[in-house]
Amino acid sequence: MVDKKLSGQTALVTGANSGIGEGVAISLGEAGANVVVNYVSKPETAQAVVDKIKSFGSKAIALQADVSNEEQVISMFKQAIKEFGTIDILVNNAGLQKDAKFDEMTLSQWNIVMNVNLTGQFLCAREAIKEFMKRGPVPERSQALGKIICMSSVHELIPWAGHVNYASSKGAIRMFMQSLAQEYGDRKIRVNSICPGAIQTPINTDAWATPEALNSLMSLIPYNRIGQPSDIGKLAVFLASDDSDYITGASIFIDGGMTVFEGFATGG
Ligand code: BGC
């Protein structure tokens, strides 16, 4: 039987209708949390995630909002709080890639990545922190006033040619997360990042869809398998629960060893 260690808590997961966000929303729901499944397009996929979470006996609703739009974010939090009473856990997951060679990168490719990956995390974290402080502590639910999990990437550490906008946004998330952890630690708000490596999702189909691509990807992963959204979901449950009550300001890499630089196994 799955441990319902998040029961009674409410989580809002951005970009929760596909990929890592979907995996995280499902794991949090399975651990007993009420889940707000945020999406920006394809409502039917968000509904499928809601239905899956309900099948565990947890509550879930789908709410549409573009995380880079201030009004839409504010209104999403209002609706979520109206529905579930408060928010205990924010998973700042929504993110995208607009890859281009740097000398050909358009301002709009730069801006959309920054707006969603970085400004989106700012807008959602601000609403979550305001709600945590307004609600006040509920020790029987959690020792923390609230928990924020920022979806970062191995690319907050590993430079990435051809993806300068994306790597810059993830590098910025590291300072965003740590500065928030520093500013709100004394309020008992925990802020951490998950830094996934290659996880099999629609964002990186090119990296795994053919045997050749998958084989080349494996040369970067000592553990020799691609990650799954459920790998990230399990870590998100841990970071959202009191099992990690003494962890704040941490970037946790979950990457099959990508950040130990496999290329040096036989070189250097
Ligand atoms: C990117 C993926 C990539 C992975 C490892 C992630 O942050 O979104 O496209 O496969 O990092 O490089």
Side-chain angles (χ1 to χ4, degrees):
M1 215 195 96
V2 177
D3 189 356
K4 300 276 177 194
K5 60 178 59 167
L6 299 178
S7 68
Q9 300 197 52
T10 297
L12 188 153
V13 183
T14 64
N17 59 333
S18 85
I20 288 178
E22 174 180 0
V24 166
I26 290 171
S27 295
L28 296 176
E30 198 171 11
N34 308 319
V35 185
V36 179
V37 175
N38 160 257
Y39 69 100
V40 69
S41 60
K42 301 195 190 143
E44 65 290 352
T45 56
Q47 192 52 47
V49 177
V50 164
D51 293 344
K52 174 97 183 164
I53 293 169
K54 286 184 173 167
S55 77
F56 304 128
S58 297
K59 294 183 189 143
I61 52 164
L63 290 181
Q64 183 179 29
D66 169 356
V67 294
S68 67
N69 180 306
E70 185 174 27
E71 267 174 38
Q72 291 182 29
V73 168
I74 291 173
S75 129
M76 169 173 71
F77 272 81
K78 272 198 191 127
Q79 281 175 265
I81 292 162
K82 193 168 163 216
E83 178 77 19
F84 292 122
T86 190
I87 301 279
D88 304 280
I89 301 153
L90 166 66
V91 184
N92 253 338
N93 166 77
L96 46 77
Q97 289 180 215
K98 293 286 173 198
D99 307 329
K101 285 170 71 181
F102 184 69
D103 55 297
E104 290 169 6
M105 189 176 284
T106 63
L107 179 59
S108 111
Q109 286 171 320
W110 174 267
N111 281 341
I112 189 174
V113 169
M114 288 300 161
N115 290 345
V116 173
N117 295 13
L118 183 58
T119 307
Q121 294 216 14
F122 155 65
L123 290 172
C124 293
R126 191 183 56 177
E127 293 317 299
I129 288 175
K130 283 198 272 192
E131 170 58 20
F132 298 159
M133 296 197 301
K134 191 170 153 206
R135 179 216 334 116
V138 187
E140 58 278 21
R141 230 164 38 218
S142 176
Q143 292 172 60
L145 188 68
K147 282 91 43 163
I148 296 179
I149 299 169
C150 300
M151 204 54 70
S152 182
S153 164
V154 289
H155 299 296
E156 74 165 46
L157 179 74
I158 305 178
W160 208 16
H163 311 260
V164 170
N165 47 0
Y166 183 83
S168 303
S169 73
K170 296 302 184 180
I173 288 300
R174 184 182 182 91
M175 277 299 120
F176 172 78
M177 175 279 290
Q178 289 188 315
S179 302
L180 275 184
Q182 197 183 63
E183 189 161 341
Y184 291 99
D186 65 349
R187 308 298 295 263
K188 301 214 78 185
I189 296 173
R190 294 196 295 111
V191 190
N192 293 291
S193 286
I194 293 179
C195 304
I199 308 301
Q200 190 166 21
T201 70
I203 208 174
N204 58 359
T205 315
D206 290 351
W208 52 263
T210 65
E212 297 72 35
L214 192 60
N215 201 36
S216 144
L217 182 65
M218 286 312 115
S219 71
L220 299 175
I221 307 176
Y223 202 60
N224 228 27
R225 77 162 169 89
I226 192 164
Q228 296 302 324
S230 58
D231 290 311
I232 309 300
K234 287 175 222 169
L235 177 55
V237 169
F238 171 68
L239 285 176
S241 79
D242 281 358
D243 288 349
S244 60
D245 189 56
Y246 205 47
I247 302 182
T248 192
S251 283
I252 303 189
F253 289 82
I254 171 162
D255 61 359
M258 199 174 237
T259 38
V260 300
F261 299 104
E262 174 80 341
F264 280 82
T266 52

